[in-house]
Amino acid sequence: MRSASVRARAGGRARERRLLPPTHAPDIVSAARLNAGALDALLAIVPHPPSAAALGRLPESARWRELHQRTPASAGTVRSTVLANRRHTLAVLGYLANDASAFERLSLAGRMLKEAAARAPESIGLLATGPAGAARAALEALLAAALAHAFALPSWKAARAEPRSVRRLVLLNDVGLDTRYTAAAARGTNLARWLTSLPPNMLDARGYRSAITALAGAQGLTLRWLDERALRRAGANAFLAVAAGNAASGAGIAHLKYRPGRSRRALRPEVALIGKGILFDTGGVNLKPHRSMLDMHTDMAGSAVALATLLALAELRAPLAADAWLAITENQIGPQAYRPQEVVRAANGVTIQVIHTDAEGRMVLADTLALAGRTRPRLMIDFATLTGACVHALTERMSGAFSNRPALAAALVEAGRVSGERVWSFPFEADYDAELESKVADVVQCAVDGKGDHILATRFLSRFVPARTPWIHIDLSSATRGGGLAHVPTDVTGFGVRLALELLLKQNVTHKLKGED
């Protein structure tokens, strides 16, 4: 008979496995020639208006030419047919405007995958015709969409027959696509989707810490967990005020490090990724109504994006030192929960007058930003589902972007345009601070009314970022959207990973900031 300790360890490992995403993913292969008869589905994007040469690359091209001549398609539309082979391969054709944006490419690819989903294909061919640059971008969108659609979110339904899943993705033209980068970005996005979708009774603080430990170990990252005792020594009283209402201890800040090659572990980070990890948000003493509280297990999406981005950088062996700081707690109501009009002192000494306990995200981020700033990173980026005001301003189609450096704000918008994860830059003017003046503390937590709360929240957070440090704040209004967004088919989108990788690796923004040291 197994001892209680052995059973506990076995139970812990089983719990950990339930919290981690599946490791299997479709194989990505290239084919020297098109053999549609070996595929369950063929997805092809052609430029609009399509040339005879572009349609000629398709199997049974005469059929497509005749169809197009009879009823010309519009840009952004999708057509499908069944090919005349023994496999009855489903062929889905998307028409892409020559001036289409990355978001439009991803959206078209997502619609094509939805068209093919009813067939539950196991092998899918991906093809893009046209000039090399445009074809490469279109093929990347198809591959990103296929990897998003092939990924299953957590489910605890009763046992049933194993559904068919995509096992093989065949790239049918060689346009120099960096499949390693696309796959890493997709894995990062899918990890963020997975973690954000987990129910709050499973992804509690203990479970999240266990999952982070396993994920960090798999990529060789170092992990330091700052528990409540350590945070008390660090003076992180803003974070601890939020955690005070939790029924059980376990809240903390996870600090992960990635260092490339043989770099010293203590090397100063070039970027610090900070994430809000509120595992469930009741609103605290200022209790949320039912509709507003229902999906508050997703309030940790920012931490999932920061973690997934760091793991993607490690997977790609990116040549930059990077840290992640994840602020992990719940915002519960209880005898010890913090209250309006309390005054607390954050880790950098700034005193905060509490106004509303449902503005907990900026409280936990205040200390996390202050602690991350002590490591003197070249750039700090935080991700947070912070304000409803940002959703009201942009809907869930874009996320809000702020920076204390104007050049970074422009780089953010460009990274959003290129990655297809679009952001809109909001004001970062000092005169907004007048709305945050307190009679009893250095700053009020938020204004009593909700006007411009996404701007005021950013101005509040700026009090905890060292003035010398370039900083970006992403208000993740796109973290969830009914029906999905662009190429991602589920309500939980994983928005932010593609954006961050584009900014850090393709635009190499930390290198451009070296002159500020």
Side-chain angles (χ1 to χ4, degrees):
M1 187 172 180
R2 294 191 301 174
S3 68
S5 61
V6 171
R7 289 196 301 272
R9 287 196 299 272
R13 288 192 294 270
R15 173 189 172 90
E16 179 184 288
R17 285 194 296 271
R18 291 197 302 271
L19 294 175
L20 297 176
T23 56
H24 63 270
D27 294 328
I28 303 171
V29 300
S30 298
R33 65 183 184 86
L34 172 58
N35 178 13
L39 302 169
D40 295 322
L42 168 67
L43 278 57
I45 289 180
V46 297
H48 184 274
S51 64
L55 294 174
R57 291 286 313 279
L58 305 175
E60 302 178 25
S61 57
R63 176 189 301 188
W64 294 108
R65 285 196 295 267
E66 292 169 3
L67 178 62
H68 186 73
Q69 290 170 359
R70 185 167 63 250
T71 312
S74 301
T77 58
V78 174
R79 286 176 169 171
S80 61
T81 188
V82 175
L83 300 180
N85 57 39
R86 290 186 177 182
R87 202 166 187 144
H88 303 295
T89 301
L90 175 68
V92 181
L93 183 64
Y95 293 85
L96 186 67
N98 289 320
D99 60 351
S101 65
F103 178 81
E104 290 168 330
R105 286 195 301 269
L106 290 166
S107 298
L108 176 64
R111 289 195 292 274
M112 295 170 69
L113 265 295
K114 285 182 181 178
E115 184 78 10
R119 289 282 296 269
E122 293 186 347
S123 60
I124 301 177
L126 306 176
L127 174 66
T129 67
R136 182 166 54 250
L139 192 63
E140 192 277 338
L142 281 173
L143 179 56
L147 292 170
H149 281 250
F151 185 78
L153 292 184
S155 175
W156 285 269
K157 292 185 176 181
R160 62 186 191 278
E162 187 72 20
R164 293 180 64 188
S165 59
V166 179
R167 300 182 182 277
R168 194 163 179 258
L169 298 170
V170 185
L171 307 183
L172 296 171
N173 54 330
D174 183 8
V175 288
L177 178 63
D178 186 350
T179 57
R180 183 167 168 263
Y181 178 92
T182 302
R187 270 190 287 274
T189 299
N190 289 338
L191 173 61
R193 292 167 64 201
W194 174 274
L195 292 171
T196 306
S197 298
L198 288 169
N201 60 323
M202 294 190 178
L203 195 72
D204 55 13
R206 179 185 171 194
Y208 204 179
R209 180 179 178 179
S210 175
I212 292 168
T213 301
L215 291 165
Q219 285 293 348
L221 307 180
T222 60
L223 168 63
R224 180 171 64 118
W225 180 267
L226 301 172
D227 61 15
E228 293 179 39
R229 186 175 178 181
L231 292 173
R232 196 165 289 110
R233 288 197 300 268
N237 299 304
F239 180 101
L240 291 169
V242 177
N246 297 340
S249 61
I253 296 176
H255 178 201
L256 300 99
K257 292 183 180 181
Y258 160 70
R259 298 295 181 266
R262 297 181 179 178
S263 299
R264 291 179 295 109
R265 293 282 182 181
L267 189 70
R268 171 190 173 190
E270 293 175 76
V271 62
L273 306 164
I274 297 98
K276 172 188 171 185
I278 301 295
L279 299 170
F280 194 82
D281 182 15
T282 67
V285 171
N286 298 120
L287 196 65
K288 291 177 182 285
H290 167 252
R291 288 290 295 274
S292 297
M293 198 193 300
L294 181 61
D295 291 324
M296 281 297 101
H297 64 294
T298 66
D299 207 19
M300 43 62 66
S303 66
V305 171
L307 173 63
T309 300
L310 188 72
L311 290 168
L313 292 172
E315 178 182 340
L316 291 168
R317 299 295 181 259
L320 77 164
D323 287 3
W325 296 78
L326 315 178
I328 298 168
T329 183
E330 297 180 20
N331 184 30
Q332 292 285 2
I333 185 168
Q336 304 302 317
Y338 81 128
R339 301 156 297 184
Q341 297 301 350
E342 291 189 5
V343 175
V344 299
R345 186 182 300 275
N348 67 343
V350 172
T351 55
I352 304 165
Q353 180 186 1
V354 176
I355 300 298
H356 200 295
T357 63
D358 198 21
E360 85 297 330
R362 65 201 76 183
M363 297 288 285
V364 300
L365 286 175
D367 280 328
T368 312
L369 288 165
L371 295 176
R374 293 177 184 177
T375 64
R376 298 189 305 111
R378 185 162 286 125
L379 171 66
M380 293 171 65
I381 309 175
D382 78 75
F383 305 88
T385 48
L386 202 62
T387 67
C390 199
V391 177
H392 286 295
L394 295 173
T395 77
E396 299 90 349
R397 293 178 177 273
M398 293 187 181
S399 287
F402 301 81
S403 181
N404 61 358
R405 301 293 192 275
L408 279 178
L412 268 169
V413 173
E414 176 63 11
R417 185 191 68 80
V418 175
S419 67
E421 291 190 332
R422 302 171 299 173
V423 295
W424 186 260
S425 180
F426 283 101
F428 187 76
E429 306 300 327
D431 60 290
Y432 280 96
D433 291 347
E435 310 299 323
L436 298 175
E437 292 180 357
S438 169
K439 295 179 180 179
V440 299
D442 295 323
V443 65
V444 296
Q445 171 201 34
C446 60
V448 175
D449 60 47
K451 292 186 295 186
D453 189 45
H454 52 315
I455 300 172
L456 297 184
T458 308
R459 291 302 308 180
F460 172 86
L461 291 178
S462 71
R463 299 290 297 267
F464 307 93
V465 177
R468 68 177 181 272
T469 305
W471 167 58
I472 289 168
H473 166 59
I474 304 295
D475 197 331
L476 286 171
S477 44
S478 303
T480 57
R481 180 174 182 268
L485 184 65
H487 61 300
V488 178
T490 55
D491 293 358
V492 175
T493 65
F495 183 104
V497 177
R498 285 176 64 93
L499 171 72
L501 292 177
E502 172 66 31
L503 188 71
L504 295 171
L505 297 185
K506 297 296 184 68
Q507 293 196 21
N508 199 12
V509 70
T510 57
H511 180 76
K512 297 173 184 176
L513 289 169
K514 285 186 178 179
E516 294 208 15
D517 290 350

